[in-house]
Amino acid sequence: MEWLGYALTNIFAPVNLLVMLAGVAGGILVGALPGLTGTMAIALLVPFTYGFSPEEALIMLGGVYVGAMYGGSISAILINTPGAPASIATTLDGYPMAQKGQPEEALAAAATSSGVGGILGTVVLLLFSPVLAAVSLQFGPPEYFWLGILGLTIISGLSAKSLPKGLMGGLFGVLISTVGLSPSTGVSRLTFDVSDLLGGVEVIVALIGLFCIPQIMTMAESRGGTLGLAAFRPQKGRSLAAMKLVLKRWGNLLRSR
Amino acid sequence: MIGVIVGIIPGAGGNVAGLLSYQEAVRAAKNKDEFGKGAVDGVIASETANNAEVEGSLIPLLTLGIPGAPQAAVMFGALLLQGLRPGPELFRGHGAEITYTFILSLFLANIAMFLMGFFGSRIYARALNLPQHLLVPVVLALSVVGSFAGRGSSLDVTIMLLLGLLAYGGQKVALSPAPIALGVILGPIIERGLVESMMLSQATGSLTGLLFTRPISLILIILTVLSGGWPIFAAFREKRRLRAAAQAGARVHSTSNLWIGCSALVIAGITWWELQGVDLQSSILPKVCAMLMAAVALGLLAKAWALRASPREEKVKASRLDSLRVLTAVGLSIAYVLLLPVVGFYIMTFAVFCLLALLLAPRPASLRKLPMIMLTGALACLAFYLVFQRIFNVPFPEGLLI
């Protein structure tokens, strides 16, 4: 537990608070803009954290991750367009609420339940990850091999609509990762005699390409402009009432977190 | 609970968490009719779950190096950049200090998010009015700078664009970029595990014994079989029920299968040809990958062949103008990346910014918008210079001119 004091003083260090706030604010903004996702925002930010300390970098990116998740609900509620795929379910009742003249209540409910969900999730992360880390000490090369295979099959089945297509994507990704020098034997493969490829394909370079370029082109498909004016006038007390209502639904909060 | 658990499962993102817990909220509710008509419980379920999923997805990332969601996959890139290796080291000594600082900061981030959302949603609502045609070039320029920054190599920028365009093409044939990204991250883990097992087995004698008999391995194998088998089983069950519905989409399916199958065969062939003469331990993973890709490709092609006679689905065709615009955007981004080392970052970014913005500006497009676009482009370049070169000190692509 010797880390506790260090961590507690560290999170309140001015620089760390600043990058955290900037991350959350930027995350909400990016999350709210349809077409720009949190994944994209983090991918674009990672290279610029090179000069940061590890703490600063992780705190800022964590803030973006958290903020963008909530930001998606703003556009989901106000203009029925999920700002990110994660907010698809929010459009189902959030937009009807806004249409009924309760956009404020919907946004306040989203903010409150996002906050509660995130905090409960962090508790689980705090308690559970040391346990899993201890288990991972037992892992040797064969276990890591199977772990990788397991991850590949799960994502192939879940993220794609069909297993073969997802599998194809996963295999192609693995193939990309093998370009360059072999990590174990130091022999070069798949470099096509280009010496710059010896170092392999940098992970973050691949991720930026994979997550940002398709988004850009999708945005180019629809001649954009603005997405319709979204504004409303807040009235006193309505948000607060919505927050209290949310906190009364603790059964729903606990189940969904 | 739903959010965290979905988060832990590798690769399943917030959309799965949100939809799943929405379903559960409907199931648990007494008055089911209200859902879909503005029930606050629907919003609560979805938002609680997708935010809990954030932290859930970090659990396997920090402990095993397996990201639980696409966003976590990108966080993995950040860990790598900082030289932090996920696993037990992150929970001991100095690593633990960094990790727990990060975890505890998530409490603060969630509180900050709540406060900003609660009091500031009106301000954020205004952001929805930002014009998209100005966002696109900014994001493109950021992608270029970001991929260049790591090693200062123009080749990296080209690779970034190449993979991105491939992924965009993939999206058109219902192949999402998330599995590719996870493959890129899991590849080294799989390869190191496999090759080191092979090396170990030279001492013990039996590779199969090493791979298949250790207890944790066995659990992982069973889970793999279950997770690989489940979608097949589910699809089988679904197909029986919805055979008619499936027929309708068959036409679209078979064209995309054709595309994926053929390109995969080409890639597998090239890989195989490149790997000639490389020793077994260095080439086993790419070779196996190429073989599996070829096998899956043949399967997809066979399916496409079987479905070829099925009734034509009326496709919602993108208008010719739309595809022309996308093609121009693709061409512009290729020109951007290729000319960057020659012309220089600022001139090129400015030019591409203006052209892209003009291309995507809402109708009626007129040259009257050009001064405004040029001004924004110049401001964007200035912002790039100030923020990245002055503050972050990121290396920029340098050309002959600037």
Side-chain angles (χ1 to χ4, degrees), chain A residues 63-250:
Chain A
V64 174
Y65 193 175
V66 167
M69 225 16 135
Y70 163 70
S73 73
I74 297 178
S75 48
I77 290 168
L78 292 179
I79 56 173
N80 203 20
T81 310
S87 313
I88 290 170
T90 311
T91 58
L92 299 177
D93 274 302
Y95 185 61
M97 272 182 89
Q99 280 183 314
K100 280 198 300 191
Q102 306 172 319
E104 249 185 295
E105 279 87 344
L107 285 170
T112 313
S113 45
S114 295
V116 173
I119 287 173
L120 293 177
T122 312
V123 172
V124 179
L125 171 67
L126 191 61
L127 297 178
F128 194 65
S129 45
V131 181
L132 202 62
V135 173
S136 74
L137 275 178
Q138 311 284 318
F139 280 34
E143 281 80 11
Y144 273 106
F145 170 71
W146 286 114
L147 195 64
I149 301 283
L150 174 64
L152 217 54
T153 45
I154 293 180
I155 184 134
S156 310
L158 272 179
S159 69
K161 283 182 188 70
S162 83
L163 181 70
K165 283 180 193 166
L167 201 60
M168 196 64 101
L171 287 170
F172 180 59
V174 173
L175 208 55
I176 293 171
S177 80
T178 60
V179 171
L181 296 178
S182 154
S184 312
T185 60
V187 176
S188 83
R189 61 264 150 95
L190 296 176
T191 55
F192 303 94
D193 293 326
V194 178
S195 62
D196 281 352
L197 274 178
L198 283 178
V201 175
E202 195 100 322
V203 171
I204 192 65
V205 167
L207 292 178
I208 291 177
L210 291 172
F211 287 124
C212 300
I213 299 296
Q215 290 288 346
I216 292 176
M217 295 305 159
T218 312
M219 279 162 89
E221 275 172 25
S222 60
R223 180 180 282 274
T226 58
L227 291 139
L229 227 62
F232 61 95
R233 291 178 184 285
Q235 284 168 6
K236 252 189 179 166
R238 287 172 73 177
S239 297
L240 208 65
M243 183 182 86
K244 282 182 188 150
L245 180 72
V246 171
L247 291 178
K248 273 189 203 141
R249 310 290 177 100
W250 51 270

Side-chain angles (χ1 to χ4, degrees), chain A residues 3 6-7 11 20 24-25 29 32-33 39-40 43-44 46-49 52 54 57-59 61 65-66 69-70 73-74 78 85-86 89-90 92-94 96-97 100 111 113-114 117-118 121-122 124-125 129-130 132-133 136-139 141-143 145-146 148 150-155 158-159 163 165-166 168-171 173-177 184-185 187 189-190 192 196 200 205 207 209-210 213 216-221 223-226 228-230 232 234 239 243 249 252-257, chain B residues 1-4 9-12 15 18 22 25 28 35-39 41 43 45-55 57 59 63-64 71 73-75 78 81-82 88 91 97 100-103 105 109-110 113-114 117-118 122 124-125 127-129 132 136 139-140 143 146 151 155-156 160 163-164 168 172 177 179-184 186-187 191 193 195 197 211-212 214 216-217 220-221 223-224 227 232 253 256-257 264 270-271 274 279 282 289 297 322 325-326 333 361 363 388 392 394:
Chain A
W3 47 264
Y6 179 89
I11 55 171
M20 186 271 290
V24 174
L29 180 66
L33 293 171
T39 319
M40 191 165 135
L44 286 176
V46 166
F48 303 117
T49 59
F52 284 32
L58 289 178
I59 287 174
L61 297 172
Y65 193 175
V66 167
M69 225 16 135
Y70 163 70
S73 73
I74 297 178
L78 292 179
T90 311
L92 299 177
D93 274 302
M97 272 182 89
K100 280 198 300 191
S113 45
S114 295
T122 312
V124 179
L125 171 67
S129 45
L132 202 62
S136 74
L137 275 178
Q138 311 284 318
F139 280 34
E143 281 80 11
F145 170 71
W146 286 114
L150 174 64
L152 217 54
T153 45
I154 293 180
I155 184 134
L158 272 179
S159 69
L163 181 70
K165 283 180 193 166
M168 196 64 101
L171 287 170
V174 173
L175 208 55
I176 293 171
S177 80
S184 312
T185 60
V187 176
R189 61 264 150 95
L190 296 176
F192 303 94
D196 281 352
V205 167
L207 292 178
L210 291 172
I213 299 296
I216 292 176
M217 295 305 159
T218 312
M219 279 162 89
E221 275 172 25
R223 180 180 282 274
T226 58
L229 227 62
F232 61 95
S239 297
M243 183 182 86
R249 310 290 177 100
N252 193 347
L253 288 173
L254 279 181
R255 181 182 57 240
S256 305
R257 77 175 157 100
Chain B
M1 229 40 233
I2 296 170
V4 175
I9 297 172
N15 46 347
Y22 183 82
F35 281 88
K37 294 176 194 149
D41 272 308
V43 177
S46 164
E47 282 302 309
T48 312
N50 70 26
N51 272 78
E53 182 266 356
V54 170
E55 285 76 17
S57 73
I59 295 176
T63 55
L64 299 165
Q71 290 94 326
V74 195
M75 296 285 291
L81 196 71
Q82 296 289 349
F91 294 86
E97 291 176 351
Y100 286 110
T101 303
F102 172 51
I103 295 179
S105 84
N110 273 297
M113 180 262 293
F114 164 69
F118 198 75
R122 196 158 48 108
Y124 284 112
L128 294 181
N129 299 327
Q132 231 175 3
V136 171
V139 175
L140 181 65
S143 313
R151 288 192 291 202
L155 183 70
D156 278 353
M160 183 278 296
L163 283 177
Y168 176 64
K172 290 277 149 225
I180 308 178
L182 202 77
V184 172
L186 292 178
E191 177 156 44
V195 176
S197 298
L211 280 183
F212 291 98
R214 296 163 53 126
I216 299 180
S217 289
L220 293 169
I221 293 170
L223 286 175
T224 305
S227 73
I232 298 174
H253 260 298
S256 70
N257 281 2
I270 295 176
T271 308
E274 228 305 308
D279 66 299
S282 315
C289 265
D322 279 345
R325 193 164 58 233
V326 174
S333 52
R363 289 221 179 260
F388 295 118
F392 288 96
V394 169

Side-chain angles (χ1 to χ4, degrees), chain B residues 166-181:
Chain B
L166 268 176
Y168 176 64
Q171 233 172 33
K172 290 277 149 225
V173 290
L175 207 163
S176 82
I180 308 178

Side-chain angles (χ1 to χ4, degrees), chain B residues 99-154:
Chain B
T99 311
Y100 286 110
T101 303
F102 172 51
I103 295 179
L104 290 185
S105 84
L106 288 175
F107 280 113
L108 291 187
N110 273 297
I111 293 169
M113 180 262 293
F114 164 69
L115 291 175
M116 287 182 197
F118 198 75
F119 295 108
S121 49
R122 196 158 48 108
I123 302 161
Y124 284 112
R126 293 234 177 88
L128 294 181
N129 299 327
L130 273 180
Q132 231 175 3
H133 65 278
L134 298 179
L135 280 175
V136 171
V138 170
V139 175
L140 181 65
L142 276 173
S143 313
V144 167
V145 177
S147 50
F148 184 84
R151 288 192 291 202
S153 130
S154 308

Side-chain angles (χ1 to χ4, degrees), chain B residues 199-275:
Chain B
M199 290 170 169
L200 277 177
S201 72
Q202 282 167 355
T204 59
S206 147
L207 180 63
T208 44
L210 193 67
L211 280 183
F212 291 98
T213 55
R214 296 163 53 126
I216 299 180
S217 289
L218 278 178
I219 296 173
L220 293 169
I221 293 170
I222 293 169
L223 286 175
T224 305
V225 171
L226 283 179
S227 73
W230 172 250
I232 298 174
F233 174 71
F236 184 71
R237 226 176 34 171
E238 193 108 319
K239 211 172 265 173
R240 283 179 133 181
R241 237 185 312 140
L242 302 169
R243 181 154 289 176
Q247 283 281 324
R251 176 75 203 169
V252 188
H253 260 298
S254 75
T255 12
S256 70
N257 281 2
L258 204 68
W259 272 104
I260 298 178
C262 289
S263 15
L265 276 181
V266 171
I267 293 172
I270 295 176
T271 308
W272 197 264
W273 173 77
E274 228 305 308
L275 285 171

